[in-house]
Amino acid sequence: MIAEVQHNLGTQAMYVVLHSPGNIGQLTNWKTGAWLTILSAIMSVLLLSSLHRAAEFKGTGELIQSTGHRRSKVLKAALLSGGVVALINGMVSALILIVLSFLLTPELTIAGSISYGMSITLTMLGVMALASIAQSLWGNSHNLNRLG
């Protein structure tokens, strides 16, 4: 099965080349890793823009500032919330792979599962930082949501 996937041009176009020695753990991370990384990055952009800039677009940003909170507190709260979500997403991804290594196949290693969860967390944090910079420069949060 893995030899067929390694030489299939369709899967190579979508997921890049599956390197040798192809095993089930490598195939699992190869297929699900691409989609989970992309969807986690999109989730972090949408979460940050909804928490950070949506209040300004709805007109409640002035209401928040009238209570004595500065504009930077909204950004800090959005980044903190996004960081917590990124950490939870990475930890749950690593935990699922660790449980699968005990239940299904020993080819999924614990070190690989932890590094996979860390890569998901770091991807989300990096995309969130880029989205925060882009929102500061872009001006309208709904335009950035269309890009995400």
Side-chain angles (χ1 to χ4, degrees):
M1 176 174 112
I2 293 177
E4 293 173 5
V5 171
Q6 285 178 330
H7 301 295
N8 188 340
L9 292 177
T11 54
Q12 286 180 6
M14 283 192 66
Y15 305 112
V16 191
V17 178
L18 179 64
H19 297 289
S20 295
N23 56 29
I24 297 299
Q26 194 176 8
L27 182 67
T28 302
N29 283 333
W30 182 62
K31 289 185 94 172
T32 60
W35 288 109
L36 186 60
T37 304
I38 291 169
L39 293 176
S40 296
I42 291 171
M43 180 179 71
S44 66
V45 169
L46 294 175
L47 178 69
L48 181 77
S49 62
S50 68
L51 292 176
H52 178 226
R53 299 294 294 262
E56 292 178 11
F57 188 75
K58 291 177 184 174
T60 58
E62 291 82 12
L63 182 64
I64 293 171
Q65 289 176 347
S66 70
T67 61
H69 296 292
R70 293 179 294 176
R71 293 181 70 190
S72 63
K73 287 202 175 198
V74 176
L75 175 62
K76 289 177 186 175
L79 289 174
L80 181 67
S81 300
V84 168
V85 168
L87 187 63
I88 289 172
N89 193 6
M91 288 173 54
V92 167
S93 299
L95 185 66
I96 287 172
L97 287 176
I98 289 170
V99 168
L100 285 177
S101 72
F102 289 117
L103 293 179
L104 296 178
T105 178
E107 293 175 351
L108 294 170
T109 63
I110 294 176
S113 301
I114 291 172
S115 65
Y116 180 74
M118 287 174 56
S119 69
I120 294 294
T121 301
L122 292 176
T123 300
M124 287 184 73
L125 291 174
V127 169
M128 198 173 354
L130 289 175
S132 174
I133 292 169
Q135 283 181 353
S136 297
L137 298 175
W138 195 276
N140 189 351
S141 65
H142 287 284
N143 291 336
L144 191 63
N145 280 342
R146 291 183 193 123
L147 292 175

